[in-house]
Amino acid sequence: MRKLFCWFLCCFISLSAISQHLRYQFSAPNAVHHEAEITIVADGLTGSSAIFRMSRSSPGRYAKHEFGKNVYNVMAYSAAGKPLKVDKDDADVYRVTGHKGTVKLTYTLFGNYADGTYASIDISGYHLNMPASFMWVKGLEAAPITIQFAVPVASWKIATQLKSTSDPLTFTAPNLQYFMDAPTKVGNLHWREWTVTNTDNKPYKFRLALEAEGTEASIDSFTEKVKQIVIAAKNVFGELPAYDYGTYTFIASINPFVHGDGMEHRNSTMITIPADFDGSDDLLGVFAHEFFHCWNVERIRPKSLEPFNFEKSNMSGALWVAEGFTQYYGSLLQVRAGVMHDSDFISNMSGLVNAKTNTPGGQLYTPIENSQRAVFVDAGVSIDRTNYPNMFTSYYSYGGAIALALDLELRNRFNKSQDDVMKELWKKHGKTEVPYTIPDVQNALAAVTNVSYANDFFKKYVYGHEAIDYKKLFAAAGYSINPANAGKASLGRVNFDSTENGLTISRNTIRNTPLYNAGLDVDDILVDVDGKRLKGITTVNEIIAKHKIGDKIVLTYLHRNNPIKTTITLTEDPWIKIEKIAKGTSDKQEQLSTRWMKGS
């Protein structure tokens, strides 16, 4: 009898789980005012109440974004259409009671911000990042999902990584994690498709869904450049990922009506560039960066981000790998694909070196610490001021600087490359989809080099923040590192706003710069320098240009309207630039440089 009861109970639980399902309907009858009407039908509910909620964070973002602020007119009904009680438990949480296993919930969504995180509803089309658009049901995270779109124009296309069905307006997702990771663009889109055969001879379809004003010829030409980036990325790892449903989609809006962003997803990317489309190479950087993510972060994934929690910020100490290594390869893929000049690539590398070498965040804090601060800086919103200029450097540039250093040292010392490290991470953690820890990254470096080298590198530059000898690394490739403004006196890198009283310091002064050392900080107002009244930023630049490094000059400033006179000592701007060695390079240096930038 006990065995029969257990069998019956297991069957009941199994049938209950199978019956769980979420069905969404999306329409926008008031799109002219940026409103959409959304319906969710949740089947297979258990218990006395059902919890519907909006997300607070979004895949690819690490801070909270409070998407619930744009949801209102929330109502619920039974399967028979009877109104059900809705209690608002929290700002973005709704409790529905009195159901009998099925709830139909409706709400209005406002959206007027098209980028990689938020939503935009407009008569020209719908731009939907899923966490910003759709409620979900607690307890039904594993339930399959169906969504149907209503479109006002028959010619509109739908671009998404969701699985298509026999109905061109209906799509599915296997569960909540996939659904929330599947941005969707609906509108008048230029559509391009091509096929790339993978190393295992399996073909994958690539799609470019482009919202832009441009000639068919210019879009064709731009598509060809995107194709080259795809191949350059594939060559790093030796193969494409196994894309779900056999397709990868570039969802791109290049027009003045969006906000700049790029957001990676498992089988797609949402790219927004606020510019008129001209098909130029300058538009390709975000394509290269986001496409590299379909390996690095979507499949080579930090354990600290798995599974993604939509109810809170998501902290990770590994963003210097996930975002930083990708930042480095974003530039490297472009130069290898032939869509970026070598000189522009080297200029980008100068930026990475400066980020590590000449910012307090790079000098004084580890890449792990900078990564962990993403929960506050990744488009996070705050009113009060922070001291980030003196204690944070972007994990994008910091991690990129580490990848750059590794690549040059591995090539010169081990006849290996950063590509080999990425291949090792792909083999151990990407293809297997086993999330990695930071020690796992260290093990990957050890597998490419040796345990001693990996231990030493991580101790100094990952768990520590020691200076990296970029001069030596670049010399091996035939480049020198030189002051960007050699011999010129400087106040340090400082942000000013011109006001009628003088020049207001608009951002924290940076430690160990002349103004910082003299005690000036944000909101202080420079009135005169070297006895000369300031009339604008050009005035102070002209004054400083007449002095030498080490000169002491007197300045007057206002601190909370109190005039203070002090003396500062001018220094040389520490910012660097990277240049080809003027006296010529050896064959060995040229070979290393060529292999580096051409990918061999």
Side-chain angles (χ1 to χ4, degrees):
M1 176 67 80
R2 179 177 175 83
K3 289 183 179 180
L4 181 62
F5 174 77
C6 290
W7 176 85
F8 177 80
L9 180 62
C10 289
C11 288
F12 175 79
I13 293 172
S14 177
L15 288 171
S16 177
I18 291 172
S19 66
Q20 290 184 333
H21 191 261
L22 286 174
R23 290 172 284 153
Y24 292 86
Q25 290 181 322
F26 179 96
S27 64
N30 196 27
V32 67
H33 293 297
H34 313 294
E35 287 185 329
E37 300 301 325
I38 296 173
T39 298
I40 313 172
V41 177
D43 295 317
L45 296 169
T46 59
S48 60
S49 61
I51 304 298
F52 291 75
R53 71 159 302 146
M54 284 296 287
S55 297
R56 302 183 72 195
S57 55
S58 182
R61 287 283 184 213
Y62 310 104
K64 296 191 297 289
H65 296 277
E66 309 299 3
F67 299 119
K69 63 186 177 293
N70 283 325
V71 165
Y72 42 95
N73 299 336
V74 179
M75 293 177 282
Y77 307 88
S78 68
K82 178 184 176 182
L84 298 175
K85 186 182 180 191
V86 179
D87 292 310
K88 194 167 185 177
D89 286 0
D90 206 342
D92 43 23
V93 179
Y94 300 84
R95 180 184 300 272
V96 180
T97 54
H99 69 82
K100 294 182 179 180
T102 294
V103 170
K104 176 183 177 182
L105 185 130
T106 64
Y107 63 93
T108 301
L109 172 76
F110 177 84
N112 192 21
Y113 199 90
D115 75 342
T117 305
Y118 298 100
S120 175
I121 297 103
D122 191 82
I123 56 173
S124 64
Y126 314 140
H127 181 101
L128 305 175
N129 288 291
M130 300 326 221
S133 306
F134 297 101
M135 283 197 197
W136 48 281
V137 183
K138 294 279 288 183
L140 266 64
E141 291 88 348
I145 292 171
T146 301
I147 183 168
Q148 184 178 61
F149 298 94
V151 299
V153 181
S155 61
W156 278 12
K157 297 180 177 66
I158 300 175
T160 183
Q161 69 175 36
L162 295 168
K163 185 179 181 182
S164 60
T165 68
S166 57
D167 176 6
L169 301 180
T170 301
F171 300 83
T172 67
N175 51 47
L176 180 72
Q177 286 282 334
Y178 192 92
F179 182 71
M180 287 295 175
D181 190 48
T184 301
K185 189 84 175 179
V186 183
N188 184 23
L189 306 174
H190 296 280
W191 198 274
R192 297 292 186 274
E193 289 187 1
W194 68 97
T195 299
V196 177
T197 301
N198 206 2
T199 310
D200 60 1
N201 292 320
K202 184 175 181 178
Y204 287 104
K205 181 189 295 183
F206 286 82
R207 304 184 298 203
L208 171 61
L210 178 63
E211 182 188 37
E213 294 293 330
T215 65
E216 296 302 309
S218 66
I219 295 168
D220 286 342
S221 176
F222 189 75
T223 303
E224 291 301 316
K225 297 173 185 177
V226 175
K227 289 180 182 181
Q228 294 307 308
I229 287 172
V230 169
I231 297 304
K234 173 178 176 286
N235 289 341
V236 171
F237 295 95
E239 61 181 333
L240 294 168
Y243 296 118
D244 304 315
Y245 315 126
T247 302
Y248 183 91
T249 306
F250 293 94
I251 307 170
S253 298
I254 305 177
N255 58 67
F257 312 107
V258 298
H259 300 266
D261 203 357
M263 193 57 61
E264 72 277 2
H265 299 278
R266 183 172 172 84
N267 304 296
S268 66
T269 177
M270 179 74 92
I271 293 170
T272 50
I273 304 175
D276 291 320
F277 176 78
D278 61 4
S280 68
D281 294 352
D282 294 339
L283 300 172
L284 292 165
V286 66
F287 284 80
H289 179 103
E290 301 306 330
F291 183 61
F292 196 81
H293 269 315
C294 70
W295 288 270
N296 189 37
V297 89
E298 289 300 330
R299 290 166 176 85
I300 304 173
R301 189 157 179 81
K303 189 174 183 179
S304 46
L305 294 178
E306 192 64 27
F308 193 86
N309 191 328
F310 301 104
E311 299 181 66
K312 60 182 284 294
S313 58
N314 287 257
M315 190 185 78
S316 173
L319 298 185
W320 60 278
V321 177
E323 297 289 0
F325 283 13
T326 303
Q327 184 75 1
Y328 172 65
Y329 272 98
S331 293
L332 196 58
L333 293 184
Q334 290 177 82
V335 77
R336 289 179 179 178
V339 297
M340 175 183 282
H341 294 297
D342 292 1
S343 59
D344 292 327
F345 172 72
I346 292 299
S347 178
N348 288 353
M349 297 305 100
S350 297
L352 297 181
V353 173
N354 278 313
K356 167 59 183 167
T357 304
N358 289 317
T359 66
Q363 295 167 335
L364 304 174
Y365 299 93
T366 70
I368 295 172
E369 291 172 300
N370 280 280
S371 295
Q372 290 169 336
R373 292 185 178 123
V375 295
F376 301 121
V377 301
D378 184 38
V381 177
S382 61
I383 297 174
D384 60 319
R385 285 184 170 136
T386 68
N387 197 28
Y388 291 147
N390 283 303
M391 42 79 75
F392 172 73
T393 289
S394 171
Y395 40 86
Y396 285 80
S397 48
Y398 200 147
I402 291 175
L404 166 63
L406 270 176
D407 206 353
L408 290 176
E409 178 144 292
L410 293 178
R411 290 178 182 278
N412 187 47
R413 183 171 168 182
F414 296 96
N415 197 30
K416 299 284 188 177
S417 74
Q418 181 64 11
D419 291 4
D420 294 308
V421 177
M422 299 312 300
K423 285 186 177 77
E424 183 68 18
L425 286 170
W426 173 244
K427 180 176 69 175
K428 293 290 179 62
H429 298 281
K431 289 192 73 169
T432 59
E433 301 208 36
V434 176
Y436 68 83
T437 62
I438 291 175
D440 291 327
V441 182
Q442 183 174 338
N443 291 338
L445 180 59
V448 171
T449 56
N450 56 64
V451 171
S452 176
Y453 174 80
N455 288 348
D456 185 59
F457 188 93
F458 269 68
K459 179 181 178 181
K460 289 179 177 178
Y461 309 121
V462 176
Y463 300 114
H465 47 78
E466 292 187 24
I468 296 174
D469 190 354
Y470 285 104
K471 285 189 176 182
K472 179 180 178 181
L473 294 173
F474 272 93
Y479 289 88
S480 61
I481 292 182
N482 306 306
N485 297 292
K488 295 181 180 180
S490 170
L491 283 175
R493 301 214 160 216
V494 58
N495 297 84
F496 290 117
D497 286 334
S498 293
T499 65
E500 58 184 33
N501 293 327
L503 294 181
T504 300
I505 300 174
S506 59
R507 198 168 184 236
N508 311 46
T509 54
I510 307 299
R511 67 177 70 230
N512 298 324
T513 60
L515 292 179
Y516 183 96
N517 293 338
L520 284 80
D521 214 318
V522 63
D523 289 338
D524 290 339
I525 303 173
L526 269 66
V527 177
D528 66 64
V529 174
D530 208 17
K532 298 178 179 62
R533 184 80 179 183
L534 298 179
K535 298 178 181 178
I537 295 174
T538 55
T539 306
V540 72
N541 290 338
E542 290 168 358
I543 295 169
I544 300 303
K546 295 177 181 179
H547 285 273
K548 301 187 299 297
I549 297 166
D551 282 359
K552 298 181 183 299
I553 62 173
V554 176
L555 60 81
T556 302
Y557 67 98
L558 300 178
H559 178 73
R560 299 187 176 183
N561 290 331
N562 296 313
I564 301 174
K565 183 173 287 189
T566 189
T567 299
I568 67 170
T569 302
L570 299 178
T571 60
E572 184 178 51
D573 181 2
W575 231 242
I576 63 92
K577 60 182 177 181
I578 301 170
E579 300 175 300
K580 196 77 172 175
I581 293 176
K583 63 183 180 181
T585 55
S586 67
D587 289 344
K588 182 179 179 181
Q589 288 170 318
E590 287 294 336
Q591 289 169 4
L592 191 154
S593 178
T594 299
R595 292 198 306 272
W596 173 35
M597 285 189 249
K598 303 308 176 187
S600 59

